[in-house]
């Protein structure tokens, strides 16, 4: 069965995304080499965070902690709890920070979608309208994680885009 490709050896150009990797359906389908590569990536990611003086579970202040988040395709993100203040009453917050949740810190989401969620929660910025699939994934994630403000912002952006298209069509015709 297919195994995930190891991390690229050369750095990609700024803003470029690494090629998508196929993920085995079960950990049992990974070879020893695959597991070693995934472990090495995770250790490198943790080492980079530790080098900055922050470790998983560190309390940055009385109310701010750092959480390691495991995403699809073996991606790892380290997030601060205060980034999710606007979403503290949502399933996403519980999945990330509540230790009673059996999979705390594990989110079955693509890294791009998770990054878009975090960006919105921190800055209220939405991803570009193109490609449309990116925003469609974000709409589904907003619905699944009960991120109502994000869902409303995406709906409003879509209405604005439709209005602009209609305006352009009227002006052109």
């Amino acid at each position: 069965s297919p195994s995930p490709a190891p991390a690229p050896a050369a750095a990609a150009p700024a803003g470029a995304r690494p090629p998508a990797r196929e993920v085995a359906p079960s950990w049992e389908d990974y070879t020893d080499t695959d597991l070693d590569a995934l472990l090495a990536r995770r250790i490198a990611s943790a080492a980079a965070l530790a080098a900055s003086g922050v470790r998983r579970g560190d309390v940055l202040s009385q109310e701010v902690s750092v959480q390691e988040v495991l995403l699809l395709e073996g991606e790892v993100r380290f997030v601060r709890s205060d980034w999710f203040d606007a979403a503290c009453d949502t399933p996403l917050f519980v999945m990330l920070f509540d230790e009673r949740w059996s999979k705390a810190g594990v989110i079955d989401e693509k890294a791009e979608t998770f990054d878009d969620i975090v960006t919105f929660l921190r800055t209220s910025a939405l991803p570009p309208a193109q490609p449309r699939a990116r925003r469609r994934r974000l709409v589904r994630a907003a619905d699944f994680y009960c991120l109502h403000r994000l869902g409303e912002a995406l709906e409003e952006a879509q209405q604005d885009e439709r209005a602009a298209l209609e305006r352009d069509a009227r002006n052109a015709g």
Side-chain angles (χ1 to χ4, degrees):
S1 85
S3 61
R17 291 196 143 284
R21 293 174 299 238
E22 191 170 334
V23 178
S26 165
W27 68 270
E28 294 168 330
D29 294 331
Y30 285 104
T31 66
D32 288 340
T33 304
D34 296 335
L35 292 173
D36 290 342
L38 289 169
L39 180 60
R41 285 180 59 202
R42 189 145 182 221
I43 289 170
S45 182
L49 191 63
S52 70
V54 178
R55 288 183 294 281
R56 179 182 181 179
D58 277 359
V59 176
L60 303 179
S61 71
Q62 288 184 336
E63 291 138 15
V64 179
S65 65
V66 174
Q67 176 69 36
E68 177 183 45
V69 180
L70 305 175
L71 302 164
L72 290 179
E73 300 177 355
E75 294 285 336
V76 177
R77 297 291 189 269
F78 292 89
V79 297
R80 293 169 44 128
S81 61
D82 61 331
W83 294 350
F84 293 86
D85 285 347
C88 64
D89 58 346
T90 67
L92 178 62
F93 188 89
V94 172
M95 290 175 187
L96 290 174
F97 301 107
D98 192 331
E99 292 180 7
R100 295 171 295 178
W101 180 257
S102 63
K103 292 182 172 183
V106 177
I107 302 293
D108 290 332
E109 198 64 67
K110 288 183 173 273
E112 181 180 57
T113 304
F114 183 77
D115 293 344
D116 288 341
I117 290 170
V118 172
T119 299
F120 180 81
L121 291 174
R122 293 183 67 202
T123 66
S124 297
L126 293 174
Q130 298 295 332
R132 292 190 187 280
R134 183 172 177 182
R135 282 206 178 167
R136 281 195 303 267
R137 282 192 303 271
L138 194 55
V139 166
R140 285 193 296 270
D143 183 51
F144 181 77
Y145 297 118
C146 300
L147 300 169
H148 303 296
R149 207 177 91 205
L150 174 57
E152 291 167 0
L154 287 163
E155 186 176 325
E156 183 177 321
Q158 185 178 25
Q159 289 172 354
D160 291 347
E161 289 168 22
R162 274 195 213 124
L165 287 172
E166 290 172 5
R167 188 174 45 250
D168 292 344
R170 277 194 308 264
N171 291 339

